[in-house]
PDB file of all heavy atoms in Angstrom:
ATOM      1  N   SER A1333     -24.302  13.854  93.615  1.00  0.00           N
ATOM      2  CA  SER A1333     -25.759  13.771  93.525  1.00  0.00           C
ATOM      3  C   SER A1333     -26.321  12.512  94.178  1.00  0.00           C
ATOM      4  O   SER A1333     -25.598  11.697  94.755  1.00  0.00           O
ATOM      5  CB  SER A1333     -26.177  13.793  92.048  1.00  0.00           C
ATOM      6  OG  SER A1333     -25.902  12.528  91.448  1.00  0.00           O
ATOM      7  N   THR A1334     -27.650  12.362  94.031  1.00  0.00           N
ATOM      8  CA  THR A1334     -28.332  11.159  94.512  1.00  0.00           C
ATOM      9  C   THR A1334     -27.848   9.899  93.797  1.00  0.00           C
ATOM     10  O   THR A1334     -28.210   8.784  94.184  1.00  0.00           O
ATOM     11  CB  THR A1334     -29.862  11.286  94.347  1.00  0.00           C
ATOM     12  OG1 THR A1334     -30.165  11.966  93.127  1.00  0.00           O
ATOM     13  CG2 THR A1334     -30.490  12.031  95.496  1.00  0.00           C
ATOM     14  N   ARG A1335     -27.027  10.069  92.781  1.00  0.00           N
ATOM     15  CA  ARG A1335     -26.354   8.921  92.172  1.00  0.00           C
ATOM     16  C   ARG A1335     -25.577   8.129  93.225  1.00  0.00           C
ATOM     17  O   ARG A1335     -25.393   6.914  93.105  1.00  0.00           O
ATOM     18  CB  ARG A1335     -25.421   9.419  91.068  1.00  0.00           C
ATOM     19  CG  ARG A1335     -24.497   8.373  90.495  1.00  0.00           C
ATOM     20  CD  ARG A1335     -23.692   8.930  89.349  1.00  0.00           C
ATOM     21  NE  ARG A1335     -24.468   8.848  88.118  1.00  0.00           N
ATOM     22  CZ  ARG A1335     -23.943   8.661  86.909  1.00  0.00           C
ATOM     23  NH1 ARG A1335     -22.650   8.570  86.769  1.00  0.00           N
ATOM     24  NH2 ARG A1335     -24.708   8.568  85.839  1.00  0.00           N
ATOM     25  N   MET A1336     -25.123   8.832  94.288  1.00  0.00           N
ATOM     26  CA  MET A1336     -24.375   8.155  95.347  1.00  0.00           C
ATOM     27  C   MET A1336     -25.240   7.111  96.052  1.00  0.00           C
ATOM     28  O   MET A1336     -24.724   6.102  96.549  1.00  0.00           O
ATOM     29  CB  MET A1336     -23.838   9.181  96.342  1.00  0.00           C
ATOM     30  CG  MET A1336     -23.004   8.600  97.483  1.00  0.00           C
ATOM     31  SD  MET A1336     -21.551   7.630  96.974  1.00  0.00           S
ATOM     32  CE  MET A1336     -20.435   8.935  96.429  1.00  0.00           C
ATOM     33  N   VAL A1337     -26.566   7.318  96.108  1.00  0.00           N
ATOM     34  CA  VAL A1337     -27.446   6.299  96.680  1.00  0.00           C
ATOM     35  C   VAL A1337     -27.354   5.029  95.839  1.00  0.00           C
ATOM     36  O   VAL A1337     -27.230   3.910  96.363  1.00  0.00           O
ATOM     37  CB  VAL A1337     -28.905   6.794  96.762  1.00  0.00           C
ATOM     38  CG1 VAL A1337     -29.811   5.686  97.300  1.00  0.00           C
ATOM     39  CG2 VAL A1337     -29.007   8.044  97.632  1.00  0.00           C
ATOM     40  N   GLY A1338     -27.409   5.199  94.517  1.00  0.00           N
ATOM     41  CA  GLY A1338     -27.252   4.049  93.631  1.00  0.00           C
ATOM     42  C   GLY A1338     -25.895   3.390  93.781  1.00  0.00           C
ATOM     43  O   GLY A1338     -25.778   2.162  93.707  1.00  0.00           O
ATOM     44  N   ALA A1339     -24.859   4.201  94.009  1.00  0.00           N
ATOM     45  CA  ALA A1339     -23.510   3.653  94.197  1.00  0.00           C
ATOM     46  C   ALA A1339     -23.455   2.767  95.429  1.00  0.00           C
ATOM     47  O   ALA A1339     -22.828   1.694  95.411  1.00  0.00           O
ATOM     48  CB  ALA A1339     -22.501   4.791  94.318  1.00  0.00           C
ATOM     49  N   VAL A1340     -24.103   3.179  96.508  1.00  0.00           N
ATOM     50  CA  VAL A1340     -24.130   2.372  97.730  1.00  0.00           C
ATOM     51  C   VAL A1340     -24.835   1.037  97.464  1.00  0.00           C
ATOM     52  O   VAL A1340     -24.370  -0.025  97.895  1.00  0.00           O
ATOM     53  CB  VAL A1340     -24.823   3.146  98.873  1.00  0.00           C
ATOM     54  CG1 VAL A1340     -25.102   2.235 100.064  1.00  0.00           C
ATOM     55  CG2 VAL A1340     -23.967   4.334  99.308  1.00  0.00           C
ATOM     56  N   VAL A1341     -25.955   1.096  96.746  1.00  0.00           N
ATOM     57  CA  VAL A1341     -26.695  -0.131  96.419  1.00  0.00           C
ATOM     58  C   VAL A1341     -25.823  -1.082  95.611  1.00  0.00           C
ATOM     59  O   VAL A1341     -25.707  -2.271  95.935  1.00  0.00           O
ATOM     60  CB  VAL A1341     -27.985   0.202  95.636  1.00  0.00           C
ATOM     61  CG1 VAL A1341     -28.680  -1.085  95.178  1.00  0.00           C
ATOM     62  CG2 VAL A1341     -28.925   1.053  96.463  1.00  0.00           C
ATOM     63  N   MET A1342     -25.178  -0.570  94.553  1.00  0.00           N
ATOM     64  CA  MET A1342     -24.471  -1.442  93.607  1.00  0.00           C
ATOM     65  C   MET A1342     -23.073  -1.841  94.068  1.00  0.00           C
ATOM     66  O   MET A1342     -22.514  -2.800  93.554  1.00  0.00           O
ATOM     67  CB  MET A1342     -24.397  -0.769  92.246  1.00  0.00           C
ATOM     68  CG  MET A1342     -25.745  -0.618  91.576  1.00  0.00           C
ATOM     69  SD  MET A1342     -25.605  -0.280  89.807  1.00  0.00           S
ATOM     70  CE  MET A1342     -24.748   1.277  89.848  1.00  0.00           C
ATOM     71  N   THR A1343     -22.506  -1.113  95.026  1.00  0.00           N
ATOM     72  CA  THR A1343     -21.195  -1.494  95.546  1.00  0.00           C
ATOM     73  C   THR A1343     -21.310  -2.588  96.592  1.00  0.00           C
ATOM     74  O   THR A1343     -20.489  -3.509  96.643  1.00  0.00           O
ATOM     75  CB  THR A1343     -20.484  -0.274  96.162  1.00  0.00           C
ATOM     76  OG1 THR A1343     -20.307   0.735  95.162  1.00  0.00           O
ATOM     77  CG2 THR A1343     -19.121  -0.645  96.731  1.00  0.00           C
ATOM     78  N   HIS A1344     -22.342  -2.499  97.442  1.00  0.00           N
ATOM     79  CA  HIS A1344     -22.418  -3.386  98.600  1.00  0.00           C
ATOM     80  C   HIS A1344     -23.520  -4.437  98.538  1.00  0.00           C
ATOM     81  O   HIS A1344     -23.451  -5.433  99.258  1.00  0.00           O
ATOM     82  CB  HIS A1344     -22.617  -2.557  99.870  1.00  0.00           C
ATOM     83  CG  HIS A1344     -21.555  -1.529 100.100  1.00  0.00           C
ATOM     84  ND1 HIS A1344     -20.225  -1.851 100.169  1.00  0.00           N
ATOM     85  CD2 HIS A1344     -21.631  -0.177 100.269  1.00  0.00           C
ATOM     86  CE1 HIS A1344     -19.522  -0.746 100.378  1.00  0.00           C
ATOM     87  NE2 HIS A1344     -20.348   0.271 100.442  1.00  0.00           N
ATOM     88  N   GLY A1345     -24.543  -4.239  97.712  1.00  0.00           N
ATOM     89  CA  GLY A1345     -25.691  -5.134  97.720  1.00  0.00           C
ATOM     90  C   GLY A1345     -25.347  -6.556  97.303  1.00  0.00           C
ATOM     91  O   GLY A1345     -24.381  -6.794  96.571  1.00  0.00           O
ATOM     92  N   ASP A1346     -26.161  -7.508  97.783  1.00  0.00           N
ATOM     93  CA  ASP A1346     -25.993  -8.903  97.382  1.00  0.00           C
ATOM     94  C   ASP A1346     -27.352  -9.465  96.966  1.00  0.00           C
ATOM     95  O   ASP A1346     -28.329  -8.719  96.840  1.00  0.00           O
ATOM     96  CB  ASP A1346     -25.337  -9.732  98.487  1.00  0.00           C
ATOM     97  CG  ASP A1346     -26.171  -9.798  99.772  1.00  0.00           C
ATOM     98  OD1 ASP A1346     -27.381  -9.483  99.741  1.00  0.00           O
ATOM     99  OD2 ASP A1346     -25.608 -10.163 100.825  1.00  0.00           O
ATOM    100  N   ASP A1347     -27.417 -10.774  96.776  1.00  0.00           N
ATOM    101  CA  ASP A1347     -28.643 -11.379  96.265  1.00  0.00           C
ATOM    102  C   ASP A1347     -29.789 -11.372  97.271  1.00  0.00           C
ATOM    103  O   ASP A1347     -30.925 -11.709  96.919  1.00  0.00           O
ATOM    104  CB  ASP A1347     -28.372 -12.808  95.801  1.00  0.00           C
ATOM    105  CG  ASP A1347     -27.558 -12.849  94.507  1.00  0.00           C
ATOM    106  OD1 ASP A1347     -27.413 -11.789  93.868  1.00  0.00           O
ATOM    107  OD2 ASP A1347     -27.058 -13.934  94.148  1.00  0.00           O
ATOM    108  N   LYS A1348     -29.520 -10.980  98.514  1.00  0.00           N
ATOM    109  CA  LYS A1348     -30.583 -10.850  99.510  1.00  0.00           C
ATOM    110  C   LYS A1348     -31.077  -9.419  99.650  1.00  0.00           C
ATOM    111  O   LYS A1348     -32.040  -9.164 100.360  1.00  0.00           O
ATOM    112  CB  LYS A1348     -30.105 -11.365 100.864  1.00  0.00           C
ATOM    113  CG  LYS A1348     -29.874 -12.866 100.906  1.00  0.00           C
ATOM    114  CD  LYS A1348     -29.542 -13.324 102.310  1.00  0.00           C
ATOM    115  CE  LYS A1348     -29.399 -14.847 102.376  1.00  0.00           C
ATOM    116  NZ  LYS A1348     -29.102 -15.290 103.759  1.00  0.00           N
ATOM    117  N   GLY A1349     -30.393  -8.480  99.000  1.00  0.00           N
ATOM    118  CA  GLY A1349     -30.833  -7.090  99.078  1.00  0.00           C
ATOM    119  C   GLY A1349     -29.700  -6.130  99.348  1.00  0.00           C
ATOM    120  O   GLY A1349     -28.563  -6.337  98.926  1.00  0.00           O
ATOM    121  N   LEU A1350     -30.029  -5.056 100.061  1.00  0.00           N
ATOM    122  CA  LEU A1350     -29.036  -4.042 100.410  1.00  0.00           C
ATOM    123  C   LEU A1350     -28.093  -4.565 101.482  1.00  0.00           C
ATOM    124  O   LEU A1350     -28.440  -5.434 102.282  1.00  0.00           O
ATOM    125  CB  LEU A1350     -29.721  -2.786 100.958  1.00  0.00           C
ATOM    126  CG  LEU A1350     -30.739  -2.058 100.091  1.00  0.00           C
ATOM    127  CD1 LEU A1350     -31.321  -0.889 100.864  1.00  0.00           C
ATOM    128  CD2 LEU A1350     -30.095  -1.569  98.807  1.00  0.00           C
ATOM    129  N   ARG A1351     -26.893  -3.984 101.501  1.00  0.00           N
ATOM    130  CA  ARG A1351     -25.995  -4.098 102.652  1.00  0.00           C
ATOM    131  C   ARG A1351     -25.505  -2.670 102.902  1.00  0.00           C
ATOM    132  O   ARG A1351     -24.631  -2.181 102.193  1.00  0.00           O
ATOM    133  CB  ARG A1351     -24.802  -5.025 102.374  1.00  0.00           C
ATOM    134  CG  ARG A1351     -25.175  -6.476 102.192  1.00  0.00           C
ATOM    135  CD  ARG A1351     -23.937  -7.383 102.245  1.00  0.00           C
ATOM    136  NE  ARG A1351     -22.893  -6.916 101.329  1.00  0.00           N
ATOM    137  CZ  ARG A1351     -21.639  -7.370 101.346  1.00  0.00           C
ATOM    138  NH1 ARG A1351     -21.260  -8.276 102.228  1.00  0.00           N
ATOM    139  NH2 ARG A1351     -20.744  -6.919 100.480  1.00  0.00           N
ATOM    140  N   LEU A1352     -26.103  -2.012 103.857  1.00  0.00           N
ATOM    141  CA  LEU A1352     -25.821  -0.595 104.054  1.00  0.00           C
ATOM    142  C   LEU A1352     -24.653  -0.388 105.014  1.00  0.00           C
ATOM    143  O   LEU A1352     -24.597  -1.016 106.077  1.00  0.00           O
ATOM    144  CB  LEU A1352     -27.054   0.118 104.605  1.00  0.00           C
ATOM    145  CG  LEU A1352     -28.264   0.175 103.667  1.00  0.00           C
ATOM    146  CD1 LEU A1352     -29.435   0.855 104.372  1.00  0.00           C
ATOM    147  CD2 LEU A1352     -27.919   0.914 102.368  1.00  0.00           C
ATOM    148  N   PRO A1353     -23.740   0.527 104.661  1.00  0.00           N
ATOM    149  CA  PRO A1353     -22.692   0.878 105.619  1.00  0.00           C
ATOM    150  C   PRO A1353     -23.330   1.563 106.825  1.00  0.00           C
ATOM    151  O   PRO A1353     -24.213   2.421 106.665  1.00  0.00           O
ATOM    152  CB  PRO A1353     -21.795   1.840 104.830  1.00  0.00           C
ATOM    153  CG  PRO A1353     -22.624   2.322 103.692  1.00  0.00           C
ATOM    154  CD  PRO A1353     -23.605   1.245 103.389  1.00  0.00           C
ATOM    155  N   PRO A1354     -22.929   1.207 108.033  1.00  0.00           N
ATOM    156  CA  PRO A1354     -23.581   1.742 109.234  1.00  0.00           C
ATOM    157  C   PRO A1354     -23.654   3.264 109.299  1.00  0.00           C
ATOM    158  O   PRO A1354     -24.630   3.819 109.810  1.00  0.00           O
ATOM    159  CB  PRO A1354     -22.718   1.182 110.366  1.00  0.00           C
ATOM    160  CG  PRO A1354     -22.216  -0.121 109.827  1.00  0.00           C
ATOM    161  CD  PRO A1354     -21.961   0.139 108.376  1.00  0.00           C
ATOM    162  N   LYS A1355     -22.649   3.956 108.762  1.00  0.00           N
ATOM    163  CA  LYS A1355     -22.662   5.419 108.859  1.00  0.00           C
ATOM    164  C   LYS A1355     -23.782   6.046 108.034  1.00  0.00           C
ATOM    165  O   LYS A1355     -24.181   7.177 108.303  1.00  0.00           O
ATOM    166  CB  LYS A1355     -21.309   5.995 108.450  1.00  0.00           C
ATOM    167  CG  LYS A1355     -20.209   5.709 109.461  1.00  0.00           C
ATOM    168  CD  LYS A1355     -18.915   6.413 109.088  1.00  0.00           C
ATOM    169  CE  LYS A1355     -17.817   6.132 110.108  1.00  0.00           C
ATOM    170  NZ  LYS A1355     -16.545   6.812 109.759  1.00  0.00           N
ATOM    171  N   LEU A1356     -24.298   5.332 107.027  1.00  0.00           N
ATOM    172  CA  LEU A1356     -25.374   5.876 106.185  1.00  0.00           C
ATOM    173  C   LEU A1356     -26.708   5.180 106.387  1.00  0.00           C
ATOM    174  O   LEU A1356     -27.721   5.642 105.865  1.00  0.00           O
ATOM    175  CB  LEU A1356     -24.984   5.777 104.705  1.00  0.00           C
ATOM    176  CG  LEU A1356     -23.823   6.656 104.230  1.00  0.00           C
ATOM    177  CD1 LEU A1356     -23.631   6.502 102.733  1.00  0.00           C
ATOM    178  CD2 LEU A1356     -24.050   8.128 104.574  1.00  0.00           C
ATOM    179  N   ALA A1357     -26.733   4.090 107.125  1.00  0.00           N
ATOM    180  CA  ALA A1357     -27.977   3.327 107.289  1.00  0.00           C
ATOM    181  C   ALA A1357     -29.000   4.121 108.087  1.00  0.00           C
ATOM    182  O   ALA A1357     -28.678   4.622 109.173  1.00  0.00           O
ATOM    183  CB  ALA A1357     -27.686   2.010 107.998  1.00  0.00           C
ATOM    184  N   PRO A1358     -30.233   4.253 107.575  1.00  0.00           N
ATOM    185  CA  PRO A1358     -31.274   4.938 108.355  1.00  0.00           C
ATOM    186  C   PRO A1358     -31.449   4.304 109.730  1.00  0.00           C
ATOM    187  O   PRO A1358     -31.603   5.015 110.727  1.00  0.00           O
ATOM    188  CB  PRO A1358     -32.519   4.760 107.490  1.00  0.00           C
ATOM    189  CG  PRO A1358     -31.996   4.642 106.094  1.00  0.00           C
ATOM    190  CD  PRO A1358     -30.716   3.876 106.238  1.00  0.00           C
TER     191      PRO A1358
END
């Protein structure tokens, strides 16, 4: 589900914000 969006945020994010994996980054 869209829970995977939250997983991306909480696995990679840091104190400056998101860190998106290139394959999923808009």
Side-chain angles (χ1 to χ4, degrees):
S1333 75
T1334 38
R1335 171 176 276 212
M1336 181 57 74
V1337 177
V1340 169
V1341 174
M1342 293 197 298
T1343 300
H1344 303 304
D1346 62 17
D1347 288 348
K1348 292 186 176 181
L1350 302 178
R1351 293 193 309 168
L1352 294 177
K1355 290 186 180 180
L1356 292 184

